[in-house]
Amino acid sequence: MSRKAHIVGVGETPYAKWGRIAEVMQGDVTEHALAHFAIMKAVEDAGLSIDDVDGLASFAEDRNEAIFIAAELGIPELRFGNMVWMPGGGGGCAAVSNAAMAVETGQAEVVVVYRALCQGEFMRFGHAAELMANDGGGAAEPPPVSFQQANTLMLAAMGQVMPFGMLTGAAAFALPFRRHMHKYGTSSEHLGKIAVTFREHANRNPRAVLKDKPLSLEQHQGSRMIADPFRLFDCCMENDGACAVVVTTEERARSLKKRPVEIVASVQGAPKGYSFGSFTNANIDDAIYATGGTEQMANRLWQKAGMRPEDVDVAQIYDHFTGSVLMQLEDFGFCKRGEGGDFIDSGALSWKGGSLPTNTSGGSLSEAYMHGLNHVLEGARSLWGESCCPVENANVCLVTSAAGVPSSALLLKGH
Amino acid sequence: MNEQTQRWFPNSMPAPMVDKYSLPWWQACAENRMTAQRCKSCNHAQLPPAPLCSECRGNDFELTALSGKGRLYTYTAVHQPVSMEQTLPFIIAVIELDVEGTPCKNPVRLMSNLVECEEADLEIGKPVHVVWEKMSDMVSIPRFKFTV
């Protein structure tokens, strides 16, 4: 038996609209307490106990650092703790990948990957602008505009673009998609069909924040503009909650209660000169500007796994914005460059009869925004036959984390 | 009309956050000079300025004067405010700056804004030119207008 890494359990807290976590948790909770609940549920799902856990991994500058989570959970001995580079959802699959490396190299036996987000407790990403605007408000005589010192690389990069009002993901990812529309004639209706399909999936998912809210193409087209061409329903939600995934070796997995899901291959990274992608970088290579920036990485994934796009039965594609889904579908080779719109029109993404059932839980657009780690949970569930939108005989699932910023991806296989 | 005194955005917009490498570029902006960091070894032009040339890893640079003309590379009309007294929507634009007549070997792009344009006029590839918005004695922000 090998040390090959497998997913053996998943778990989450109830998900809530931002600021409403108290309503679904029967009482107010903090973000790190949400992380504990999710980790305990995932461990229980695997048939393990917290005493079996010896590693923790997260991403996106998770405030809930492994050493404190380990201490509060009473983990007997922490042997591995890891935080993937940079903010943003690009590190979701990479955190799973790092957990896999830890168990495969013997650094740890059981690593839990987690992500907690309580934007009711902390700042909402989509409202950074309002907070910035309020900063220093109330002064009788505001001081003249002057330079501020950037004391991190991230602030140096953001500090170059913030004077132009670049503060939100919607604006950052609208830029490459606008160019995609210009080059290939992609339309807002294509984006609407993505949003509607994922909502249909969420309407079947009791965990989904928007499970009781159907969405029509007309409603999508009538929704208010956020950052052209992205309308309200092209943007993911902002939610409170937490989720977790348990990774261990094949050997250990054999004695556990669920059929292990193999992490066949994983990749992470960014193209040359990418920085924080279209958020901060106006000079992304022209050849990849109107893409998700994940084609190179996707090719590495197929090569490592010895698989092709045709081998994928179901996909969980990071959906911070609809346009980023469309460009990733091209990056990963499910259709040719520029043909993402036609691919969407074919109904490919629907769980019912689509050629590539995608985001079978509803994704970040309609299940919950957990920085894409919930996509990994749904990936495992879709191979266990536990998805609310089951795909018959699904054996291979692609999971991706973000596009337009440094990213990561996993290929999962059922046993 | 003197464009240097025109205002399009309020003072409450986020101020530039600078480091050792970007400060000279912003100081040139304060003098209404559009520049790009040019590697003296390989003539690669880059923005924002950085400690190393990403093409040849050289570190001998100069700020090369550009015409301030260019073309619209991509854009988004943003309908959410970034500061309180702002007119909406405002346009975030990526501008491909012209390097003709300079030793720079590549056009270089800048994240900026388009001002005084109707959304219906937005078209990728159209020529633009820089206009300077003086926010204070210390800070001028380069924005762009369509060149008619």
Side-chain angles (χ1 to χ4, degrees):
Chain A
M1 289 304 274
S2 78
R3 293 195 65 87
K4 181 72 182 160
H6 285 65
I7 292 173
V8 292
V10 301
E12 67 269 281
T13 67
Y15 297 136
K17 189 178 156 78
W18 74 273
R20 300 274 184 84
I21 193 68
E23 292 168 23
V24 294
M25 290 294 289
Q26 282 104 38
D28 205 5
V29 285
T30 60
E31 192 179 73
H32 68 290
L34 291 171
H36 299 332
F37 288 126
I39 291 168
M40 289 191 289
K41 279 196 74 174
V43 166
E44 188 191 335
D45 188 51
L48 288 163
S49 108
I50 290 292
D51 290 337
D52 297 308
V53 176
D54 60 359
L56 292 169
S58 189
F59 60 103
E61 290 179 345
D62 195 314
R63 288 173 282 258
N64 311 293
E65 290 171 352
I67 53 167
F68 300 111
I69 296 295
E72 291 186 347
L73 279 171
I75 287 174
E77 185 189 6
L78 186 68
R79 298 183 185 129
F80 177 79
N82 178 268
M83 188 76 72
V84 181
W85 78 82
M86 55 149 249
C93 289
V96 177
S97 162
N98 290 356
M101 281 196 280
V103 301
E104 288 179 0
T105 58
Q107 294 286 318
E109 286 298 314
V110 176
V111 179
V112 183
V113 184
Y114 62 95
R115 182 76 177 109
L117 268 172
C118 195
Q119 297 190 71
E121 185 181 355
F122 297 100
M123 187 189 83
R124 293 176 64 193
F125 294 127
H127 290 247
E130 287 166 23
L131 287 174
M132 292 288 303
N134 284 324
D135 198 21
E141 188 75 29
V145 178
S146 64
F147 299 120
Q148 292 176 17
Q149 181 70 35
N151 48 18
T152 65
L153 294 180
M154 188 66 191
L155 283 178
M158 284 301 295
Q160 181 73 25
V161 297
M162 288 193 319
F164 306 108
M166 175 54 81
L167 279 132
T168 62
F173 304 115
L175 293 173
F177 192 73
R178 168 55 68 185
R179 201 161 164 83
H180 192 282
M181 293 171 83
H182 170 73
K183 288 179 84 163
Y184 307 114
T186 330
S187 71
S188 172
E189 284 81 3
H190 292 132
L191 300 187
K193 288 175 187 171
I194 296 173
V196 167
T197 302
F198 294 175
R199 185 65 63 85
E200 283 166 3
H201 298 169
N203 292 151
R204 300 175 49 85
N205 175 6
R207 291 180 299 269
V209 174
L210 296 176
K211 68 173 185 298
D212 297 325
K213 302 253 165 108
L215 178 70
S216 68
L217 190 57
E218 292 67 34
Q219 282 172 304
H220 170 276
Q221 290 292 295
S223 67
R224 69 189 159 89
M225 200 63 90
I226 302 295
D228 171 52
F230 293 154
R231 300 175 176 281
L232 179 66
F233 294 129
D234 291 308
C235 306
C236 67
M237 296 179 281
E238 294 185 295
N239 299 123
D240 293 354
C243 58
V245 177
V246 184
V247 175
T248 191
T249 63
E250 182 177 8
E251 195 176 350
R252 186 70 177 267
R254 200 164 55 151
S255 61
L256 298 179
K257 71 179 187 195
K258 306 196 85 144
R259 275 181 301 127
V261 164
E262 184 184 349
I263 301 169
V264 180
S266 59
V267 285
Q268 50 186 294
K272 184 185 177 187
Y274 210 57
S275 172
F276 197 36
S278 55
F279 230 116
T280 61
N281 188 357
N283 286 284
I284 293 169
D285 186 355
D286 183 55
I288 60 162
Y289 191 94
T291 77
T294 54
E295 185 174 355
Q296 250 182 339
M297 194 186 76
N299 290 338
R300 258 194 298 139
L301 184 70
W302 300 128
Q303 204 165 26
K304 280 173 86 169
M307 288 184 184
R308 299 175 307 161
E310 301 79 60
D311 297 324
V312 173
D313 301 311
V314 54
Q316 315 299 338
I317 307 279
Y318 195 91
D319 53 341
H320 41 356
F321 300 94
T322 48
S324 310
V325 174
L326 189 147
M327 293 191 293
Q328 285 177 85
L329 291 167
E330 297 176 356
D331 287 1
F332 279 84
F334 292 108
C335 57
K336 289 194 185 121
R337 182 66 64 201
E339 293 180 3
D342 294 337
F343 188 71
I344 302 299
D345 281 342
S346 77
L349 305 189
S350 175
W351 77 286
K352 238 180 184 170
S355 59
L356 184 71
T358 296
N359 292 12
T360 43
S361 69
S364 300
L365 288 164
S366 287
E367 184 194 41
Y369 178 70
M370 286 297 122
H371 249 148
L373 191 62
N374 50 326
H375 292 59
V376 180
L377 275 72
E378 178 66 10
R381 284 188 173 124
S382 61
L383 301 178
W384 284 326
E386 292 180 10
S387 172
C388 301
C389 297
V391 174
E392 217 178 321
N393 300 322
N395 196 36
V396 174
C397 179
L398 169 72
V399 188
T400 75
S401 292
V405 289
S407 178
S408 54
L410 302 171
L411 269 172
L412 305 178
K413 192 165 179 280
H415 270 265
Chain B
M1 193 190 296
N2 181 2
E3 288 188 337
Q4 289 179 27
T5 59
Q6 275 192 264
R7 293 301 306 266
W8 299 281
F9 288 85
N11 274 7
S12 53
M13 289 288 284
M17 299 188 81
V18 301
D19 63 12
K20 175 178 155 54
Y21 307 100
S22 64
L23 181 60
W25 184 85
W26 283 106
Q27 285 170 333
C29 288
E31 296 166 4
N32 295 2
R33 291 188 292 119
M34 178 51 67
T35 61
Q37 186 188 37
R38 178 178 65 85
C39 171
K40 285 158 99 172
S41 313
C42 76
N43 285 326
H44 175 67
Q46 59 187 22
L47 281 177
L52 291 178
C53 168
S54 64
E55 289 304 301
C56 76
R57 286 89 196 178
N59 63 357
D60 191 12
F61 294 109
E62 74 163 25
L63 281 179
T64 295
L66 304 182
S67 65
K69 292 177 182 161
R71 278 162 302 282
L72 180 60
Y73 185 77
T74 189
Y75 64 89
T76 177
V78 182
H79 292 251
Q80 276 182 311
V82 167
S83 67
M84 285 314 177
E85 315 89 26
Q86 202 181 349
T87 353
L88 294 175
F90 71 99
I91 314 293
I92 295 180
V94 173
I95 307 298
E96 188 155 284
L97 293 167
D98 205 343
V99 293
E100 215 179 80
T102 76
C104 298
K105 70 178 178 188
N106 57 295
V108 61
R109 293 182 225 127
L110 179 71
M111 188 96 69
S112 180
N113 304 111
L114 266 180
V115 294
E116 294 181 27
C117 73
E118 298 296 319
E119 272 189 78
D121 295 335
L122 287 165
E123 194 187 323
I124 287 174
K126 270 166 87 168
V128 297
H129 63 274
V130 71
V131 289
W132 296 97
E133 181 166 12
K134 189 178 163 101
M135 310 296 280
S136 69
D137 286 343
M138 199 185 287
V139 178
S140 281
I141 307 282
R143 321 240 189 233
F144 288 80
K145 273 190 194 175
F146 281 126
T147 305
V148 190

